[in-house]
């Protein structure tokens, strides 16, 4: 009986040692991506890796499992930018305990998350104090890089490794956000208005250039058309003249142009009503009016040309009369010299001839400025002969 009791006690003790709690058991297990610290009387003894581990019951104890997985800490930071705008910045810090520094991570920091949060607050506030709101939006990646570098340097000595730091958003005050949206909307509206104005300008300039080119080509076409019409009318008139109907050629051409004009008006005109003379005689009156207007213009041009010719004829007549007067003076001088020679008074003849020649020379000089070139040459020849005598 006593032996049976002893065996039961031994089994219970061994079972308790093998399968009891962490404090009383000899064996314990550690899960993957976890470590357990073993302490002997409160002093660190070893690090238990994943798998089956042993310890001395009642002498050695174990700590809580320390996770080696990547953890994320989210920090919401409210701070002020350089242009005095309060913003809220959520920062996500991903960190993990270094497998080779589990002891430092467990013993050196009592609250690692609070330590990381303090470093993030200090770094973000220092970075945003020198940035405006617009610059802060553009520099989110730079802020995240700065936070990651500082945390990595600071937390490495405590056994923590910073995997990544993310600045997920920058949220200003709702009123500031609405103002920014209004500014952006106004800017976009201004850009849209400028683009529309530029497009309208290009359209108008292109249209004006096209209209100018169209008018130029249209003018050239009209000029060529009128030239062709004039040449055609001239050829028709010549053919009618050769056919022996020269007297009525103008009337035929006028009537042809009249009917062509009516046909063009009827084809291209916008009016649905065309008023024409009611009797055949009115067509003759219309052609007579057109012919009369053309003849009136022709007679005016002919009268102007006849007036110019008449003025030139009168000037020629005056020049001829002056030439005859000069010839008469010369004849009188010759007759007087003949009479004086017959009377035997050569001295008187010579004196009278000299006086007559001087008068004739003075008269010729007065007329020289008003005579044609041919008469001026004759007067100059007469004066030269007088000087030679």
């Amino acid at each position: 009986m006593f032996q049976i009791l002893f065996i039961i006690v031994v089994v219970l003790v061994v079972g308790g040692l093998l399968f009891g709690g962490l404090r009383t058991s000899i064996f314990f297990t550690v899960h993957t991506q976890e470590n357990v610290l073993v302490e002997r009387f409160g002093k660190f003894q070893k690090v238990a890796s994943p798998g089956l581990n042993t310890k001395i019951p009642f002498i050695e104890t174990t700590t809580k499992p320390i996770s080696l997985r990547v953890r994320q800490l989210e920090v919401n930071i409210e701070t002020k930018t350089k242009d005095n705008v309060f913003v809220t910045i959520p920062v996500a810090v991903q960190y993990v305990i270094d497998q080779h520094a589990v002891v430092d991570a467990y013993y050196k920091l009592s609250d690692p998350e609070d330590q990381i949060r303090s470093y993030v607050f200090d770094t973000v506030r220092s970075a945003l104090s020198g940035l405006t709101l617009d610059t802060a939006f553009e520099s989110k990646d730079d802020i995240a890089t700065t936070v990651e570098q500082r945390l990595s340097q600071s937390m490495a000595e405590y056994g923590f490794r910073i995997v990544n730091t993310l600045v997920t958003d920058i949220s200003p005050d709702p009123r500031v956000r609405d103002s920014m949206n209004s500014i952006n909307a106004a800017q976009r509206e201004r850009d849209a208005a400028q683009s529309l104005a530029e497009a309208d300008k290009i359209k108008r300039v292109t249209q004006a250039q096209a209209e100018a080119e169209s008018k130029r080509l249209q003018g050239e076409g009209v000029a060529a058309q009128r030239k062709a019409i004039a040449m055609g009318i001239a050829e028709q008139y010549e053919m009618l003249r050769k056919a022996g109907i020269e007297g009525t050629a103008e009337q035929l051409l006028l009537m042809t142009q009249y009917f062509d004009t009516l046909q063009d008006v009827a084809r291209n005109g916008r009016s649905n009503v065309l008023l024409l003379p009611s009797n055949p005689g009115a067509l003759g009156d219309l052609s007579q009016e057109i012919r009369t207007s053309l003849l009136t213009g022709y007679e005016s041009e002919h009268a102007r040309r006849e007036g110019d010719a008449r003025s030139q004829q009168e000037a020629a007549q005056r020049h001829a009369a002056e030439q005859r007067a000069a010839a008469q003076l010369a004849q009188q001088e010759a007759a007087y010299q003949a009479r004086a020679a017959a009377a035997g008074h050569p001295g008187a003849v010579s004196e009278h001839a000299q006086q007559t020649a001087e008068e004739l020379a003075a008269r010729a000089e007065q007329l020289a400025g008003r005579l044609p070139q041919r008469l001026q040459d004759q007067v100059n020849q007469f004066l030269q002969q007088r000087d030679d005598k």
Side-chain angles (χ1 to χ4, degrees):
M1 186 69 182
F2 178 77
Q3 293 178 351
I4 296 173
L5 292 175
F6 179 77
I7 293 173
I8 294 173
V9 172
V10 171
V11 170
L12 292 175
V13 171
V14 172
L17 294 175
L18 294 177
F19 305 103
L22 291 177
R23 176 175 291 275
T24 60
S25 64
I26 299 175
F27 300 102
F28 66 95
T29 59
V30 179
H31 297 286
T32 304
Q33 290 295 321
E34 289 182 352
N35 282 160
V36 174
L37 301 182
V38 178
E39 297 178 345
R40 182 177 296 174
F41 298 114
K43 181 180 179 181
F44 170 74
Q45 184 65 28
K46 63 179 180 178
V47 177
S49 302
L52 182 62
N53 295 270
T54 62
K55 68 178 182 63
I56 301 174
F58 301 105
I59 296 176
E60 294 180 345
T61 58
T62 59
T63 62
K64 293 180 180 181
I66 301 173
S67 177
L68 300 180
R69 297 185 182 95
V70 176
R71 288 178 286 183
Q72 177 170 310
L73 175 64
E74 294 184 357
V75 183
N76 291 322
I77 306 168
E78 184 178 0
T79 183
K80 185 178 69 172
T81 61
K82 184 179 180 180
D83 49 354
N84 297 324
V85 178
F86 285 90
V87 294
T88 301
I89 302 178
V91 179
V93 180
Q94 298 173 353
Y95 66 97
V96 64
I97 297 176
D98 192 355
Q99 187 175 1
H100 303 289
V102 177
V103 178
D104 293 336
Y106 183 81
Y107 289 107
K108 287 187 177 181
L109 285 180
S110 61
D111 191 352
E113 291 186 356
D114 189 44
Q115 184 77 10
I116 293 174
R117 187 178 289 106
S118 299
Y119 279 118
V120 172
F121 266 94
D122 183 67
T123 304
V124 172
R125 287 177 176 174
S126 299
L128 283 181
S129 62
L131 300 177
T132 61
L133 182 60
D134 295 334
T135 309
F137 276 101
E138 298 174 358
S139 306
K140 288 198 302 181
D141 294 338
D142 297 337
I143 296 173
T145 303
T146 304
V147 173
E148 181 179 352
Q149 291 176 353
R150 183 170 183 185
L151 282 177
S152 297
Q153 294 175 359
S154 302
M155 300 300 293
E157 60 178 322
Y158 300 111
F160 289 88
R161 180 167 56 88
I162 305 301
V163 178
N164 198 2
T165 303
L166 303 174
V167 177
T168 57
D169 191 15
I170 296 179
S171 301
D173 186 83
R175 292 175 296 178
V176 177
R177 186 168 56 249
D178 294 339
S179 299
M180 293 178 62
N181 292 333
S182 301
I183 294 173
N184 292 331
Q187 180 69 27
R188 294 182 181 276
E189 290 178 357
R190 186 179 67 179
D191 295 340
Q194 290 178 352
S195 300
L196 291 175
E198 195 69 24
D200 186 65
K201 174 184 176 182
I202 295 174
K203 180 180 178 181
R204 290 179 181 273
V205 170
T206 305
Q207 184 177 1
Q209 293 176 351
E211 291 180 357
E213 184 67 16
S214 175
K215 291 181 180 179
R216 184 183 67 81
L217 296 176
Q218 184 179 2
E220 293 179 357
V222 171
Q225 179 185 9
R226 291 178 178 176
K227 182 178 179 181
I229 292 174
M231 294 177 64
I233 292 175
E235 292 177 357
Q236 293 177 9
Y237 184 82
E238 186 66 21
M239 292 172 62
L240 293 174
R241 188 181 64 79
K242 290 181 180 180
I245 54 175
E246 183 176 1
T248 60
E250 293 181 358
Q251 295 181 359
L252 291 175
L253 293 175
L254 288 174
M255 292 304 299
T256 301
Q257 293 295 319
Y258 175 72
F259 285 119
D260 290 341
T261 303
L262 290 180
Q263 182 180 3
D264 184 68
V265 171
R267 182 185 300 111
N268 301 323
R270 298 183 179 179
S271 177
N272 296 326
V273 179
L274 184 63
L275 299 178
L276 296 175
S278 61
N279 56 340
L283 295 176
D285 296 339
L286 180 60
S287 64
Q288 183 64 29
E289 291 179 0
I290 297 175
R291 183 174 180 276
T292 301
S293 62
L294 293 175
L295 291 178
T296 301
Y298 173 76
E299 289 177 356
S300 299
E301 181 66 18
H302 183 67
R304 185 182 64 80
R305 293 180 179 178
E306 286 184 352
D308 295 341
R310 189 179 299 109
S311 300
Q312 294 178 0
Q313 185 177 3
E314 291 177 356
Q317 290 177 357
R318 288 196 301 269
H319 295 159
E322 292 175 354
Q323 185 178 8
R324 287 195 297 271
Q328 290 177 1
L329 290 176
Q331 290 176 0
Q332 292 176 4
E333 176 64 20
Y336 181 76
Q337 289 180 0
R339 290 194 301 271
H345 299 286
V349 173
S350 177
E351 182 178 2
H352 187 273
Q354 182 177 2
Q355 182 179 3
T356 303
E358 292 177 356
E359 293 177 357
L360 183 60
R363 180 63 176 168
E365 291 178 356
Q366 293 177 359
L367 297 175
R370 293 179 292 176
L371 294 177
Q373 185 66 33
R374 181 171 56 83
L375 297 180
Q376 290 183 12
D377 294 340
Q378 294 179 0
V379 172
N380 293 332
Q381 184 179 2
F382 171 75
L383 295 175
Q384 184 66 30
Q385 292 177 359
R386 189 200 66 177
D387 294 337
D388 293 341
K389 294 178 179 182

